[in-house]
Amino acid sequence: MKIVAMVGSNRRESYNMMLTKYMQNRYADKVEIEILPIHELPFYNQDDELNPPEIVNILREKIKESDGVLFATPEYNASIPAVLKNAIDWFSRVEAVLVNKPAMIVGASMGALGTVKAQLQLRQILNAVNVSTMTLPGNEVYVGSVHEKVDEEGNLTDEATVEFIDSVMDNFVNWVEKSVNYASAY
Ligand SMILES: Cc1cc2nc3c(=O)[nH]c(=O)nc-3n(C[C@H](O)[C@H](O)[C@H](O)COP(=O)(O)O)c2cc1C
């Protein structure tokens, strides 16, 4: 199963990137997670959408070939960061490559609420007509106080969090498998 990941942080020491890489390693026997370099996308501009920069075409193809999408979002001012919104905007135009893709959301922040507000908005965005991912319901992964839950190698050290994400990943794998028939019939 091939999953592409979009991480909404372009920060070198990003906790959300850390979490995504941790998941990439931990679930390597179940899913192949490829992290898309969405921070390399230029700002979306409608003037360019019919003749986009090559990176847009490359990432679009990777999404098309994938079985699902993992979104890892920080929270910036009670919303998702621009780098993630920008990517979703590119992939919603000309070819709406996210439509019917099974999707899963995680988010990490140093605050107690762990990206609750950003994820609420992200679910709404993913439901837009030209985005329309099949987002795994429930299974809300909020990693709050993340700086207290990782070691220096970027491993999650909080057992309860690890167990919870294990269960959500199992649910997502099931969701992707069940979604195949739906997507082809739609
Ligand atoms: C511009 C900006 C706005 C932020 N707004 C919020 C916020 O609304 N809620 C929150 O919990 N954290 C907020 N933070 C803190 C981020 O959650 C924290 O920087 C987090 O580490 C970012 O994710 P990353 O480590 O993956 O880059 C904000 C950070 C920045 C730079």
Side-chain angles (χ1 to χ4, degrees):
M1 183 176 291
K2 277 188 81 167
I3 301 299
V4 289
M6 296 193 214
V7 182
S9 176
N10 48 5
R11 195 170 77 85
R12 272 191 299 277
E13 305 290 322
S14 162
Y15 286 116
N16 284 279
M17 182 59 84
M18 220 178 262
L19 174 62
T20 305
K21 287 185 173 165
Y22 176 77
M23 293 173 71
Q24 192 179 38
N25 291 331
R26 185 166 176 88
Y27 307 119
D29 58 332
K30 292 181 193 161
V31 292
E32 183 192 332
I33 299 177
E34 178 178 0
I35 301 170
L36 302 183
I38 58 169
H39 57 282
E40 290 177 16
L41 288 165
F43 274 132
Y44 169 78
N45 183 333
Q46 199 171 354
D47 294 337
D48 302 332
E49 68 176 16
L50 294 177
N51 191 16
E54 193 49 21
I55 182 145
V56 175
N57 294 325
I58 292 169
L59 299 191
R60 264 193 197 135
E61 286 309 307
K62 286 183 184 290
I63 294 170
K64 277 200 244 172
E65 286 163 13
S66 73
D67 299 302
V69 185
L70 166 66
F71 291 93
T73 188
E75 184 167 291
Y76 275 12
N77 298 315
S79 184
I80 66 169
V83 68
L84 180 55
K85 181 61 164 53
N86 185 53
I88 294 170
D89 289 343
W90 272 115
F91 303 136
S92 70
R93 296 287 296 178
V94 184
E95 284 186 89
V97 291
L98 290 168
V99 172
N100 286 332
K101 284 285 171 193
M104 160 179 175
I105 303 172
V106 298
S109 79
M110 291 189 278
L113 296 182
T115 73
V116 168
K117 291 179 187 172
Q119 290 197 38
L120 272 173
Q121 292 201 347
L122 181 54
R123 279 184 193 263
Q124 186 182 351
I125 293 163
L126 295 182
N127 204 34
V129 65
N130 287 324
V131 185
S132 291
T133 56
M134 292 198 281
T135 313
L136 179 66
N139 293 274
E140 298 172 8
V141 181
Y142 307 119
V143 185
S145 305
V146 63
H147 54 295
E148 295 168 4
K149 295 177 181 163
V150 290
D151 65 19
E152 282 176 5
E153 277 83 49
N155 297 305
L156 268 183
T157 51
D158 185 70
E159 249 176 63
T161 304
V162 172
E163 274 176 33
F164 180 61
I165 298 178
D166 284 353
S167 71
V168 172
M169 185 51 81
D170 283 343
N171 292 340
F172 185 55
V173 167
N174 273 331
W175 180 252
V176 173
E177 283 167 354
K178 293 209 170 85
S179 297
V180 172
N181 291 333
Y182 175 80
S184 57
Y186 195 74

